[in-house]
mmCIF file of all heavy atoms in Angstrom:
data_model
loop_
_atom_site.group_PDB
_atom_site.id
_atom_site.type_symbol
_atom_site.label_atom_id
_atom_site.label_comp_id
_atom_site.label_asym_id
_atom_site.label_seq_id
_atom_site.Cartn_x
_atom_site.Cartn_y
_atom_site.Cartn_z
ATOM 1 N N ARG A 40 26.736 97.315 -23.654
ATOM 2 C CA ARG A 40 27.007 97.345 -25.089
ATOM 3 C C ARG A 40 26.807 95.937 -25.624
ATOM 4 O O ARG A 40 27.377 94.975 -25.129
ATOM 5 C CB ARG A 40 28.432 97.799 -25.363
ATOM 6 C CG ARG A 40 28.772 97.843 -26.853
ATOM 7 C CD ARG A 40 30.224 98.234 -27.108
ATOM 8 N NE ARG A 40 30.583 99.479 -26.460
ATOM 9 C CZ ARG A 40 30.391 100.697 -26.980
ATOM 10 N NH1 ARG A 40 29.832 100.827 -28.149
ATOM 11 N NH2 ARG A 40 30.763 101.765 -26.321
ATOM 12 N N SER A 43 27.852 92.159 -30.359
ATOM 13 C CA SER A 43 27.683 91.756 -31.761
ATOM 14 C C SER A 43 27.243 92.926 -32.634
ATOM 15 O O SER A 43 27.635 93.029 -33.785
ATOM 16 C CB SER A 43 26.693 90.595 -31.874
ATOM 17 O OG SER A 43 25.438 90.962 -31.355
ATOM 18 N N GLY A 45 27.131 96.363 -31.320
ATOM 19 C CA GLY A 45 27.705 97.617 -30.851
ATOM 20 C C GLY A 45 26.659 98.550 -30.263
ATOM 21 O O GLY A 45 26.982 99.625 -29.777
ATOM 22 N N PRO A 69 31.234 94.547 -14.406
ATOM 23 C CA PRO A 69 31.597 93.336 -15.158
ATOM 24 C C PRO A 69 33.106 93.180 -15.357
ATOM 25 O O PRO A 69 33.662 92.101 -15.172
ATOM 26 C CB PRO A 69 30.899 93.509 -16.510
ATOM 27 C CG PRO A 69 29.830 94.514 -16.279
ATOM 28 C CD PRO A 69 30.330 95.402 -15.170
ATOM 29 N N ALA A 77 39.919 86.368 -12.715
ATOM 30 C CA ALA A 77 41.176 86.006 -13.383
ATOM 31 C C ALA A 77 42.333 85.967 -12.385
ATOM 32 O O ALA A 77 43.165 85.050 -12.424
ATOM 33 C CB ALA A 77 41.476 86.986 -14.519
ATOM 34 N N GLU A 80 41.898 82.813 -10.242
ATOM 35 C CA GLU A 80 42.255 81.600 -10.998
ATOM 36 C C GLU A 80 43.771 81.468 -11.113
ATOM 37 O O GLU A 80 44.327 80.390 -10.925
ATOM 38 C CB GLU A 80 41.611 81.623 -12.383
ATOM 39 C CG GLU A 80 40.109 81.467 -12.357
ATOM 40 C CD GLU A 80 39.649 80.128 -11.807
ATOM 41 O OE1 GLU A 80 40.176 79.090 -12.236
ATOM 42 O OE2 GLU A 80 38.762 80.127 -10.940
ATOM 43 N N LYS A 92 53.208 67.932 -3.362
ATOM 44 C CA LYS A 92 52.325 66.829 -3.724
ATOM 45 C C LYS A 92 52.078 65.958 -2.508
ATOM 46 O O LYS A 92 53.005 65.610 -1.791
ATOM 47 C CB LYS A 92 52.949 65.975 -4.840
ATOM 48 C CG LYS A 92 53.294 66.747 -6.093
ATOM 49 C CD LYS A 92 52.057 67.007 -6.910
ATOM 50 C CE LYS A 92 52.394 67.620 -8.235
ATOM 51 N NZ LYS A 92 52.192 69.004 -8.346
ATOM 52 N N LYS A 95 49.995 59.958 -1.379
ATOM 53 C CA LYS A 95 48.954 59.050 -0.935
ATOM 54 C C LYS A 95 49.613 57.709 -0.644
ATOM 55 O O LYS A 95 50.373 57.199 -1.453
ATOM 56 C CB LYS A 95 47.903 58.913 -2.036
ATOM 57 C CG LYS A 95 46.728 58.069 -1.674
ATOM 58 C CD LYS A 95 45.744 58.020 -2.816
ATOM 59 C CE LYS A 95 44.660 57.022 -2.500
ATOM 60 N NZ LYS A 95 43.803 56.816 -3.658
ATOM 61 N N LEU A 112 51.919 34.785 -14.290
ATOM 62 C CA LEU A 112 53.358 34.611 -14.108
ATOM 63 C C LEU A 112 53.737 34.669 -12.624
ATOM 64 O O LEU A 112 54.668 33.985 -12.184
ATOM 65 C CB LEU A 112 54.110 35.678 -14.900
ATOM 66 C CG LEU A 112 55.561 35.389 -15.269
ATOM 67 C CD1 LEU A 112 55.710 34.038 -15.961
ATOM 68 C CD2 LEU A 112 56.113 36.489 -16.140
ATOM 69 N N LEU A 117 55.628 31.856 -7.721
ATOM 70 C CA LEU A 117 55.375 31.292 -6.391
ATOM 71 C C LEU A 117 55.575 29.772 -6.379
ATOM 72 O O LEU A 117 56.083 29.218 -5.407
ATOM 73 C CB LEU A 117 53.966 31.651 -5.915
ATOM 74 C CG LEU A 117 53.737 33.123 -5.566
ATOM 75 C CD1 LEU A 117 52.258 33.392 -5.299
ATOM 76 C CD2 LEU A 117 54.582 33.564 -4.382
ATOM 77 N N HIS A 121 58.611 29.568 -4.113
ATOM 78 C CA HIS A 121 58.028 29.524 -2.773
ATOM 79 C C HIS A 121 57.105 28.325 -2.550
ATOM 80 O O HIS A 121 56.192 28.386 -1.726
ATOM 81 C CB HIS A 121 57.284 30.836 -2.483
ATOM 82 C CG HIS A 121 58.207 32.013 -2.401
ATOM 83 N ND1 HIS A 121 58.971 32.287 -1.293
ATOM 84 C CD2 HIS A 121 58.512 32.976 -3.308
ATOM 85 C CE1 HIS A 121 59.686 33.372 -1.508
ATOM 86 N NE2 HIS A 121 59.431 33.807 -2.732
ATOM 87 N N GLN A 124 51.937 24.788 -4.172
ATOM 88 C CA GLN A 124 51.617 23.466 -4.720
ATOM 89 C C GLN A 124 50.505 23.534 -5.757
ATOM 90 O O GLN A 124 50.553 22.833 -6.754
ATOM 91 C CB GLN A 124 51.203 22.505 -3.588
ATOM 92 C CG GLN A 124 52.279 22.291 -2.550
ATOM 93 C CD GLN A 124 53.536 21.659 -3.139
ATOM 94 O OE1 GLN A 124 53.462 20.715 -3.926
ATOM 95 N NE2 GLN A 124 54.686 22.187 -2.777
ATOM 96 N N LYS A 133 46.674 33.440 -2.702
ATOM 97 C CA LYS A 133 46.684 34.416 -1.598
ATOM 98 C C LYS A 133 47.105 33.762 -0.285
ATOM 99 O O LYS A 133 47.861 34.358 0.491
ATOM 100 C CB LYS A 133 45.299 35.055 -1.442
ATOM 101 C CG LYS A 133 44.937 36.026 -2.528
ATOM 102 C CD LYS A 133 43.528 36.561 -2.289
ATOM 103 C CE LYS A 133 43.065 37.416 -3.439
ATOM 104 N NZ LYS A 133 41.690 37.901 -3.246
ATOM 105 N N MET A 145 45.605 40.324 4.301
ATOM 106 C CA MET A 145 46.239 41.235 3.342
ATOM 107 C C MET A 145 46.245 42.683 3.840
ATOM 108 O O MET A 145 47.135 43.448 3.514
ATOM 109 C CB MET A 145 45.510 41.188 1.989
ATOM 110 C CG MET A 145 45.660 39.887 1.254
ATOM 111 S SD MET A 145 47.316 39.697 0.603
ATOM 112 C CE MET A 145 47.081 38.251 -0.390
ATOM 113 N N GLU A 147 47.109 43.809 6.514
ATOM 114 C CA GLU A 147 48.329 44.088 7.282
ATOM 115 C C GLU A 147 49.388 44.758 6.412
ATOM 116 O O GLU A 147 50.250 45.475 6.917
ATOM 117 C CB GLU A 147 48.892 42.791 7.873
ATOM 118 C CG GLU A 147 48.059 42.210 8.993
ATOM 119 C CD GLU A 147 48.641 40.904 9.513
ATOM 120 O OE1 GLU A 147 49.849 40.870 9.827
ATOM 121 O OE2 GLU A 147 47.873 39.931 9.610
ATOM 122 N N ASP A 166 59.975 40.503 -9.659
ATOM 123 C CA ASP A 166 60.378 41.289 -10.827
ATOM 124 C C ASP A 166 61.741 40.829 -11.349
ATOM 125 O O ASP A 166 61.941 40.699 -12.563
ATOM 126 C CB ASP A 166 60.411 42.783 -10.497
ATOM 127 C CG ASP A 166 59.017 43.368 -10.310
ATOM 128 O OD1 ASP A 166 58.031 42.773 -10.785
ATOM 129 O OD2 ASP A 166 58.912 44.442 -9.656
ATOM 130 N N ARG A 172 63.475 35.364 -17.250
ATOM 131 C CA ARG A 172 62.671 34.414 -18.041
ATOM 132 C C ARG A 172 62.723 34.713 -19.499
ATOM 133 O O ARG A 172 62.789 35.716 -20.007
ATOM 134 C CB ARG A 172 61.228 34.416 -17.562
ATOM 135 C CG ARG A 172 61.139 34.167 -16.111
ATOM 136 C CD ARG A 172 60.311 33.140 -15.497
ATOM 137 N NE ARG A 172 59.523 32.239 -16.241
ATOM 138 C CZ ARG A 172 59.728 30.908 -16.211
ATOM 139 N NH1 ARG A 172 60.698 30.412 -15.513
ATOM 140 N NH2 ARG A 172 58.933 30.107 -16.855
#
Side-chain angles (χ1 to χ4, degrees):
R40 180 183 306 274
S43 59
E80 291 296 312
K92 303 282 187 258
K95 184 179 173 188
L112 202 52
L117 290 172
H121 294 282
Q124 300 298 316
K133 288 178 187 178
M145 292 288 189
E147 289 178 51
D166 289 340
R172 306 233 2 118

